[in-house]
């Protein structure tokens, strides 16, 4: 997996002060996407053990509320397979911090459904680690700059940690 950027202080992509990882690779190619350079799976730098260590260290301060993963597309199968063990490690080291993830896919249809177009052998386990999922493709015709934490009205902010309690 490659990544385009790591923001060690981010207040735009989830609640509180966060560390954000922008993964590379996206097959959605939404018209009007704010981050088209990350569509390329080889964009940016390789995600290595050093990258993991850098993010783990950046998450340490008490003022950091959690980690946000966006892209690109975290739920492309090849990205899921790298993100799952990494996010599992983050949860083990920082159980008090939350994980937000952005996807252009639809939670129930594409991810949760075993026949969904982005469901693979690690999807269910990956979803268990995510506290908040922002789902849905960016739609230029529904763009709304007044929305918090999303770019278009069709996108949803799903509290997955609440679902795990039920």
């Amino acid at each position: 997996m490659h990544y385009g950027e790591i923001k060690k202080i981010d207040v735009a992509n989830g609640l509180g002060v966060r560390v954000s990882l922008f993964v590379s690779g996206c097959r959605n190619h939404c018209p009007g996407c704010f981050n088209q350079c990350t569509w390329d799976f080889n964009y940016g730098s390789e995600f290595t053990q050093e990258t993991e260590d850098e993010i783990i260290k950046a998450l340490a301060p008490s003022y950091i509320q959690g980690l946000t993963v966006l892209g690109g597309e975290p739920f492309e199968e090849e990205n899921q397979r790298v993100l799952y063990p990494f996010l599992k490690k983050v949860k083990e080291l920082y159980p008090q911090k939350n994980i937000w993830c952005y996807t252009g896919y639809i939670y129930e249809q594409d991810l949760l459904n075993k026949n969904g177009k982005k469901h693979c052998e690690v999807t269910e386990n990956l979803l268990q680690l995510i506290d908040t999922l922002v789902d849905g493709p960016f739609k230029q015709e529904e763009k709304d700059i007044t929305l918090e934490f999303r770019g278009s009205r069709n996108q949803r902010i799903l509290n997955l940690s609440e679902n795990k309690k039920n």
Side-chain angles (χ1 to χ4, degrees), residues 28 73 75 103-113 116-118 127 133-137 139 154-156 158:
N28 282 324
E73 176 55 62
F75 279 92
T103 181
Y105 295 103
I106 307 295
Y107 174 66
E108 299 85 355
Q109 175 184 314
D110 300 320
L111 307 176
L112 198 58
N113 180 344
K117 68 171 136 178
K118 289 299 159 182
L127 287 168
L133 183 73
V134 181
D135 82 335
K139 293 187 176 179
N154 63 295
Q155 295 172 316
R156 304 178 297 168
L158 304 172

Side-chain angles (χ1 to χ4, degrees), residues 49-100:
Q49 184 61 54
E50 291 75 29
T51 311
E52 284 192 23
D53 295 344
E54 179 183 352
I55 295 169
I56 296 290
K57 183 178 177 187
L59 287 166
S62 60
Y63 62 85
I64 298 291
Q65 191 162 343
L67 174 67
T68 298
V69 183
L70 58 169
E73 176 55 62
F75 279 92
E76 296 295 0
E77 295 86 336
E78 47 272 81
N79 290 342
Q80 288 187 57
R81 292 178 181 116
V82 175
L83 288 170
Y84 169 61
F86 173 61
L87 295 186
K88 184 176 179 192
K89 185 179 191 179
V90 168
K91 275 291 190 189
E92 288 167 358
L93 291 170
Y94 300 111
Q96 75 282 13
K97 300 194 188 252
N98 59 52
I99 296 175
W100 279 54

Side-chain angles (χ1 to χ4, degrees), residues 12-77:
N13 295 302
L15 288 175
V17 181
R18 318 187 60 74
V19 174
S20 292
L21 169 66
F22 291 78
V23 302
S24 295
C26 183
R27 294 181 179 95
N28 282 324
H29 297 189
C30 300
C33 173
F34 82 101
N35 212 5
Q36 290 183 17
C37 57
T38 62
W39 293 356
D40 180 348
F41 281 84
N42 294 311
Y43 175 76
S45 304
E46 186 177 351
F47 188 83
T48 63
Q49 184 61 54
E50 291 75 29
T51 311
E52 284 192 23
D53 295 344
E54 179 183 352
I55 295 169
I56 296 290
K57 183 178 177 187
L59 287 166
S62 60
Y63 62 85
I64 298 291
Q65 191 162 343
L67 174 67
T68 298
V69 183
L70 58 169
E73 176 55 62
F75 279 92
E76 296 295 0
E77 295 86 336

